[in-house]
Amino acid sequence: MKAITNYKYGGPEVLKLEEIDRPTPQENEVLVKIKATAINPLDWHVMRGIPYFMRLMTGIAKPTKFNILGADVAGTVEQVGDKVRQLKVGDNVFGDIFNFGLGGLSEYVRVKEEGLVVMPENISFEEAAAVPVAALTALNGLRKFGPISSGQKILINGASGGVGTFAVQIAKIYDAHVTGVCSTTNLELVKSIGADEVIDYTNEDLPQSGRKYDLIFDAVGNLSLADYKNLLSEEGRCAVVGFGGVGHMIRAGLLGGKKIKMVDFKANQRD
């Protein structure tokens, strides 16, 4: 089968289109013929091995765990292991396979069945592949501090990005009052997906605006700890899913206390 491989860290030049052996599923795995995959910042972090702490998961000197990128996949089950019970040959499936070794940039991938779910019939493979990593990040970030309540004031920083657009729509499902932050170019986009208010960060100094929010969902990481505190209500909380740098990540994780938390999660079928 054909696959795009990478055996060393670096930019796009380390990627190679190769012919490799088609994988054989183990007893609790399925073999999926890939119909669509999506690229996320996760992929280029793994490809470059940056920030460097990621190499603790991927390999110190070179990528030893992930040699085919692609966490978001959608395709058709072609083969099932003897202990697979939830999926069958011919099922159209999708999922986030980061915890199963990546592999979306290939013709076939083997995945444990708990990494996949059957696709809704009314969406395409391309639409399904665009969902898992970004939408699951949004979902887990929004509920980091518990369920969202009706009328809750939520600020979504980076509302026009992949994660941010899902966050706006998910928050509106729970009838929250959503304020999206984006650039001038994307104001209409963020309004069109349901935001109650949209702030153009190029024209307004948001941290000094006096506005207060019950939850900040920061998908960018360009706000400081002082900014978070200025924008949070007395009982407000902040979920950080994007970072402007390692320093920001460390400060948010170590100094944020109970009000500011970094978002991490492991994909599961229920989500």
Side-chain angles (χ1 to χ4, degrees), residues 5-32:
T5 60
N6 62 299
Y7 297 102
K8 59 183 178 180
Y9 293 119
E13 70 278 358
V14 305
L15 303 177
K16 294 183 178 180
L17 178 62
E18 292 187 322
E19 190 75 31
I20 63 174
D21 293 335
R22 193 171 83 169
T24 300
Q26 302 298 311
E27 58 185 10
N28 62 342
E29 296 177 331
V30 299
L31 181 70
V32 177

Side-chain angles (χ1 to χ4, degrees), residues 127-260:
E127 289 169 325
V131 171
V133 169
L136 290 174
T137 302
L139 177 65
N140 282 274
L142 287 170
R143 68 183 183 194
K144 185 71 175 179
F145 297 97
I148 300 170
S149 57
S150 176
Q152 190 174 18
K153 292 184 177 181
I154 298 179
L155 176 72
I156 298 175
N157 186 36
S160 62
V163 173
T165 51
F166 279 112
V168 170
Q169 295 172 88
I170 293 171
K172 288 309 299 178
I173 290 173
Y174 292 97
D175 199 29
H177 185 279
V178 176
T179 299
V181 181
C182 63
S183 65
T184 309
T185 304
N186 294 309
L187 292 175
E188 292 306 315
L189 166 65
V190 177
K191 290 178 184 177
S192 74
I193 58 176
D196 299 284
E197 298 180 65
V198 185
I199 294 175
D200 182 349
Y201 68 80
T202 67
N203 290 324
E204 181 173 343
D205 185 0
L206 177 61
Q208 302 304 317
S209 66
R211 297 168 181 254
K212 298 292 182 180
Y213 299 93
D214 302 308
L215 175 65
I216 297 173
F217 180 95
D218 189 358
V220 182
N222 61 352
L223 297 175
S224 66
L225 294 185
D227 293 337
Y228 293 148
K229 292 176 181 178
N230 283 341
L231 291 165
L232 288 172
S233 64
E234 185 175 346
E235 299 298 323
R237 300 290 186 267
C238 176
V240 185
V241 300
F243 298 96
V246 175
H248 179 271
M249 182 181 67
I250 293 174
R251 288 191 295 274
L254 297 180
L255 303 177
K258 295 182 179 180
K259 292 177 72 72
I260 302 170

